[in-house]
């Protein structure tokens, strides 16, 4: 049997929001190869949608963004229980990387001080 010389941790998400989640064959092949090499697979339960949406609203508020219930619910549903994926989507939306989340309007940043580019 193969053995690792040093401990390693590999994190693979299963949501369909990008990454290997869109390529289940690749993910399965990686997992199979790692298991064959002696790695252990630890699966985590998905975060419930209500808790995920509430967490997103709190994170947005602490970062100075207004994250409405509709947006938080939409991002939580699209993330399918994956907190890392949900936070990445929220960050992208708040930075203006996408006009809308699936089925919701994007959050708006609260302005602090004068508007950018003025006086």
């Amino acid at each position: 049997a193969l053995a690792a010389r040093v401990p390693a941790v590999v994190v693979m998400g299963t949501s369909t929001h990008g990454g290997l989640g869109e390529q289940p064959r690749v993910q399965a092949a990686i997992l199979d190869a790692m298991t064959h090499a002696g790695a252990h697979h630890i699966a985590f339960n998905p975060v419930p949608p209500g808790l995920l949406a509430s967490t997103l609203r709190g994170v947005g508020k602490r970062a100075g963004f207004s994250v409405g219930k509709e947006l938080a619910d939409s991002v939580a549903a699209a993330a399918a229980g994956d907190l890392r994926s949900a936070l990445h989507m929220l960050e992208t939306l708040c930075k203006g990387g996408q006009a809308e989340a699936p089925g919701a309007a994007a959050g708006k940043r609260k302005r602090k001080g004068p508007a950018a580019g003025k006086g």
Side-chain angles (χ1 to χ4, degrees):
L2 301 174
R5 292 182 184 203
V6 295
V9 176
V10 178
V11 179
M12 292 192 314
T14 57
S15 87
T16 58
H17 174 69
L20 293 175
E22 293 177 349
Q23 302 170 8
R25 285 181 311 165
V26 174
Q27 187 174 16
I30 291 170
L31 185 58
D32 184 54
M34 292 180 68
T35 302
H36 179 72
H40 295 280
H41 178 219
I42 301 172
F44 294 94
N45 293 328
V47 178
L51 179 58
L52 190 51
S54 174
T55 300
L56 293 172
R57 292 187 76 188
V59 167
K61 183 176 182 180
R62 284 188 291 283
F65 290 87
S66 175
V67 179
K69 182 176 179 357
E70 186 179 344
L71 175 64
D73 289 345
S74 179
V75 171
D82 183 347
L83 180 59
R84 290 182 320 126
S85 183
L87 290 171
H88 181 259
M89 281 189 266
L90 182 65
E91 179 182 23
T92 300
L93 290 166
C94 289
K95 287 184 173 182
Q98 180 178 330
E100 295 182 356
K108 295 183 179 177
R109 181 158 186 141
K110 295 178 184 176
R111 295 196 183 267
K112 294 180 183 176
K118 292 187 178 180

